[in-house]
């Protein structure tokens, strides 16, 4: 894969994120969302579906042979030219409740779970995060880096309880309590892609969530990696898959500590 092939995809990801962001922002202002429940605490609006269609149409216009994996439309195409991973609105609950923390998240990769391009756009706050392999990470054109914090007692950690898997609540809250008592404070913003972008920008220092879809985090982990951070599966025996990712991410300096905190 050449630098040009990566940077061409990055340009298209930026274009698609900007267009979809403008579309979702307008739909959010109009309100009156048509809401469907996919499973417990998992919602989709008509805007999610239309935004995904828009993103895919832009991608297909430029790279018709590439494969696509979208949260709302699933997988299509052959993998030899790589695949795009799309979450048209990450933070749908925030979107239909008029909370500002939702994003358009678009990634592209040649090998599974090694994203080479990641773009995350929060249209409500006009913050555009992006990274390509070996480009570094950027927020609205300015370089960003993870925090340099080494002392976990001063760290802010994003912890997101398993709101779709209440059967995992007891074990999760036990670990969350451990992290809470050994850190400065916890946060939860309702969009994985946004939270990972905040980690990349040094606004928070760590992240722990179970049962993500790969589309929630693909763009975000690319941006974290390029900003100097680190991430891994929370369970060494369960590697990432398209439909289940248990994620521990951090500025790298507190990665071993955080990983240790979430083991049984
Ligand atoms: C959700 C958000 C949320 C995370 C959930 C995701 P959606 O995505 O990323 O932060 O806690 O696990 O499913 O459904 O709004 O695209
Ligand atoms: Ca999502
Ligand atoms: Ca979504």
């Amino acid at each position: 894969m050449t630098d040009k092939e990566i940077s061409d995809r990055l340009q298209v990801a930026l274009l698609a994120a900007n267009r979809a962001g403008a579309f979702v922002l307008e739909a959010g202002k109009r309100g009156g969302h048509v809401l469907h429940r996919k499973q417990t605490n998992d919602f989709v609006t008509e805007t999610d579906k239309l935004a995904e269609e828009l993103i895919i149409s832009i991608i297909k216009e430029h790279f018709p042979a590439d494969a696509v994996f979208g949260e709302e439309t699933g997988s299509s195409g052959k993998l030899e030219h790589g695949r795009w991973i799309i979450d048209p609105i990450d933070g749908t609950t925030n979107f239909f409740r008029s909370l500002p923390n939702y994003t358009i998240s678009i990634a592209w990769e040649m090998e599974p779970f090694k994203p080479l391009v990641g773009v995350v756009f929060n249209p409500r706050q006009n913050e555009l995060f992006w990274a390509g392999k070996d480009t570094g990470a950027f927020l609205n054109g300015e370089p960003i880096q993870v925090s340099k914090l080494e002392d976990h007692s001063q760290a802010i950690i994003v912890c997101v309880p398993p709101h779709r898997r209440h059967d995992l609540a007891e074990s999760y809250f036990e670990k969350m309590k451990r992290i809470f008592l050994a850190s400065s404070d916890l946060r939860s913003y309702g969009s994985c892609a946004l939270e990972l972008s905040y980690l990349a920008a040094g606004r928070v220092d760590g992240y722990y969530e179970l049962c993500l879809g790969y589309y929630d985090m693909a763009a975000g982990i690319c941006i974290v990696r390029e900003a100097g951070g680190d991430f891994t599966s929370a369970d060494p025996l369960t590697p990432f898959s398209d439909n289940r990712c248990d994620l521990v991410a951090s500025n790298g300096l507190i990665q071993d500590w955080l990983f240790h905190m979430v083991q049984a």
Side-chain angles (χ1 to χ4, degrees):
M1 192 48 45
T2 64
D3 287 352
K4 181 167 183 328
E5 284 167 306
I6 295 174
S7 94
D8 287 350
R9 261 81 177 187
L10 178 57
Q11 293 314 314
V12 169
L14 288 165
L15 175 72
N18 273 309
R19 290 222 190 129
F23 171 76
V24 171
L25 188 63
E26 279 311 306
K29 283 182 196 157
R30 280 197 304 277
H33 305 299
V34 182
L35 197 63
H36 306 279
R37 188 169 166 277
K38 294 199 275 187
Q39 51 163 324
T40 308
N41 294 328
D42 189 1
F43 300 97
V44 60
T45 69
E46 287 305 306
T47 306
D48 292 74
K49 294 181 190 171
L50 292 170
E52 184 160 313
E53 276 173 27
L54 174 63
I55 294 165
I56 292 174
S57 73
I58 294 168
I59 289 171
K60 289 285 171 197
E61 199 182 304
H62 292 84
F63 300 106
D66 288 12
V68 168
F69 171 39
E71 175 174 10
E72 310 306 342
T73 51
S75 295
S76 63
K78 295 201 182 118
L79 295 175
E80 21 194 275
H81 300 277
R83 72 168 177 166
W84 294 81
I85 304 102
I86 302 160
D87 192 337
I89 304 180
D90 185 51
T92 294
T93 301
N94 285 344
F95 170 69
F96 72 75
R97 301 295 303 262
S98 292
L99 290 161
N101 295 331
Y102 59 82
T103 53
I104 317 303
S105 175
I106 303 174
W108 178 78
E109 67 189 14
M110 279 307 295
E111 279 179 71
F113 314 114
K114 293 188 178 160
L116 301 173
V117 164
V119 173
V120 172
F121 182 38
N122 176 344
R124 280 280 297 269
Q125 292 168 335
N126 197 27
E127 288 198 318
L128 178 67
F129 300 86
W130 61 268
K133 184 166 170 42
D134 298 331
T135 64
F138 296 84
L139 162 56
N140 291 349
E142 296 296 322
I144 50 172
Q145 282 198 320
V146 292
S147 72
K148 298 199 167 23
L149 189 118
E150 290 182 56
D151 175 2
H152 59 73
S153 74
Q154 299 305 305
I156 298 179
I157 310 293
V158 172
C159 278
V160 187
H163 47 283
R164 291 176 192 147
R165 289 285 308 272
H166 287 178
D167 55 308
L168 300 175
E170 199 163 330
S171 134
Y172 187 89
F173 280 111
E174 204 178 289
K175 290 160 187 168
M176 191 168 153
K177 182 178 173 188
R178 246 185 249 166
I179 296 168
F180 174 67
L181 292 175
S183 64
S184 160
D185 208 348
L186 307 182
R187 292 287 184 278
S188 178
Y189 297 93
S191 162
C192 169
L194 187 69
E195 286 154 331
L196 290 172
S197 300
Y198 285 180
L199 173 60
R203 295 174 179 176
V204 297
D205 310 297
Y207 181 95
Y208 173 46
E209 183 168 0
L210 302 176
C211 305
L212 292 159
Y214 184 49
Y215 38 77
D216 297 315
M217 67 171 208
I221 56 172
C222 179
I223 298 169
V224 166
R225 187 193 66 226
E226 291 297 319
D230 197 3
F231 59 87
T232 180
S233 174
D235 176 0
L237 299 177
T238 314
F240 298 142
S241 65
D242 282 352
N243 297 315
R244 170 95 191 236
C245 298
D246 295 344
L247 180 65
V248 177
S250 75
N251 65 0
L253 299 169
I254 60 165
Q255 183 72 14
D256 289 348
W257 166 77
L258 190 54
F259 180 76
H260 174 73
M261 294 304 273
V262 306
Q263 302 311 301

